Amino acid sequence: MKTIIAACSQNLSGSCASVQSALRTLLAAPWPSQRDVRSWLQLLSVLQWVLSFLLLGIVSLLLLIYLVFTSFWPISALYLAWIIFDWDTPEKGGRRLPCLRRWSVWRHFRDYFPVKLVKTHDLSPSHNYIIGSHPHGILCVGAFCNFITGSTGFWEMFPGIQPFLTTLAGNFRLPVFREYLMSGGVCPVTRRAIGYLLSKNGTGNAVAIVIGGAAESLSCRPGVTTLILKNRKGFVRMALQHGAYLVPSFSFGENDLFRQVVFEEGSWIRSIQQRFQKMMGFAPCVFYGRGLTSVQSLGFLPYARPITTVVGEPVAVPKIEDPSCETVDMYHEMYVRSLLKLFNENKTKYGLSETDELHIL
């Protein structure tokens, strides 16, 4: 009996010593600093955003199709009925959720790059505005962060102004993704949707349009500032028809977030990209960024490069229901001059040299 008790005592003392040793090792190990935790949160916030934009719609669509062939088919049927019932909502201002725009995740998203908004002139709530957002880049990070999330202080800088961002109408045909877009204030870039915001939604609305669109994304690469704008005049005609002021904005650093394989004009791959872009509305860019584990690894996350979006001086536009081509050309030229002035006055402040020029095609 004494032998058994002694053996048990030895085992207990050995277990206690092992636990104490493990605790000492754990306490001696370096704990993540606050800076490390912030970096991880920033990386995760960008990861969820990229995955949402690239995969949420497609994965949701495939999941609903799969459920049709299972006992959960009523879920797909009910959601299809909901989309049919809710079909016109994106064209009528969407369904904004203020809580989503104030989501703390967007502060980490902003700080990852970081993204900054710069105001140069006031915007009166008694007018409506079309904000031209340049350049497109790969994923329009600057436009999304400044005009959709509340993380950069748009409402504080422009009190009484409600921003909206437009994107391809096809995105609102994807299940679940359409709800995600509308909840932030994203609308289709269609005449009907923009016209609703500028004429039937009161005043103080600012509709941001990425003028260059998918065609511009094909030429996006670091150190190049080329815009597709010379023949893009539909936004000017819309502004004239509704008396909305034109406001140029430029996101310095947008083109530095990814590396893209740019194919030369005239090559067969470039022709395929352009043909695909005309048919589907978006361009199949071949790009890469950093990986999830380290900056040196390759992946689909954007590089952490500062983005500064400068909002310029509004161009006053009269209301003309049926503007002539000459009038549209005149105000388009005024807008281009205002954009060039904005770019030249701020380029040296935000990473470009005095010799850098803005090329407009």
Side-chain angles (χ1 to χ4, degrees), residues 85-350:
F85 173 79
D86 197 53
W87 190 261
D88 287 337
T89 299
E91 303 278 352
K92 297 180 179 180
R95 189 169 38 250
R96 188 191 301 269
L97 293 178
C99 60
L100 183 64
R101 300 179 70 143
R102 295 192 298 266
W103 199 15
S104 60
V105 167
W106 302 130
R107 294 197 300 271
H108 299 299
F109 180 87
R110 171 201 65 195
D111 294 338
Y112 171 83
F113 298 96
V115 181
K116 181 182 178 183
L117 181 66
V118 175
K119 168 186 172 181
T120 61
H121 293 79
D122 291 329
L123 299 182
S124 171
S126 60
H127 298 290
N128 285 325
Y129 303 90
I130 290 181
I131 300 178
S133 179
H134 310 275
H136 183 284
I138 297 293
L139 294 178
C140 303
V141 173
F144 176 86
C145 191
N146 287 297
F147 302 130
I148 292 303
T149 78
S151 61
T152 57
F154 185 95
W155 288 272
E156 291 77 15
M157 292 185 191
F158 302 101
I161 302 298
Q162 190 74 276
F164 296 86
L165 180 63
T166 57
T167 186
L168 294 174
N171 288 327
F172 295 90
R173 307 294 179 254
L174 294 173
V176 182
F177 189 47
R178 69 190 296 273
E179 323 298 338
Y180 177 80
L181 292 175
M182 284 193 292
S183 65
V186 183
C187 298
V189 61
T190 61
R191 296 181 64 85
R192 183 184 176 192
I194 297 171
Y196 180 90
L197 294 172
L198 296 179
S199 63
K200 298 180 181 179
N201 201 40
T203 60
N205 299 296
V207 183
I209 303 176
V210 186
I211 308 296
E216 192 173 276
S217 67
L218 290 175
S219 301
C220 164
R221 60 182 184 270
V224 176
T225 48
T226 300
L227 304 183
I228 306 295
L229 179 59
K230 189 174 292 184
N231 295 319
R232 299 291 174 99
K233 300 178 182 180
F235 73 102
V236 178
R237 185 174 294 276
M238 287 286 294
L240 285 163
Q241 289 173 341
H242 298 283
Y245 287 14
L246 291 168
V247 183
S249 71
F250 195 92
S251 293
F252 293 91
E254 181 74 44
N255 285 349
D256 298 331
L257 303 182
F258 293 96
R259 302 291 182 268
Q260 181 180 188
V261 180
V262 178
F263 301 99
E264 295 297 326
E265 289 287 346
S267 65
W268 66 273
I269 298 182
R270 182 72 167 210
S271 300
I272 292 175
Q273 287 180 311
Q274 292 172 339
R275 197 168 302 170
F276 188 92
Q277 181 258 318
K278 289 179 180 179
M279 289 191 301
M280 303 301 295
F282 65 94
C285 301
V286 181
F287 68 92
Y288 64 91
R290 61 156 291 177
L292 185 61
T293 56
S294 70
V295 179
Q296 287 74 28
S297 60
L298 297 181
F300 53 87
L301 295 179
Y303 293 106
R305 303 286 187 269
I307 304 172
T308 304
T309 301
V310 184
V311 180
E313 181 179 4
V315 177
V317 175
K319 185 175 181 179
I320 305 174
E321 290 188 6
D322 188 19
S324 64
C325 292
E326 291 76 14
T327 303
V328 172
D329 290 342
M330 181 180 71
Y331 280 96
H332 183 271
E333 186 178 343
M334 291 171 62
Y335 175 83
V336 171
R337 286 202 303 267
S338 183
L339 175 62
L340 288 170
K341 179 184 176 184
L342 172 72
F343 177 81
N344 290 324
E345 288 180 350
N346 293 276
K347 61 184 179 181
T348 57
K349 300 177 185 177
Y350 305 114

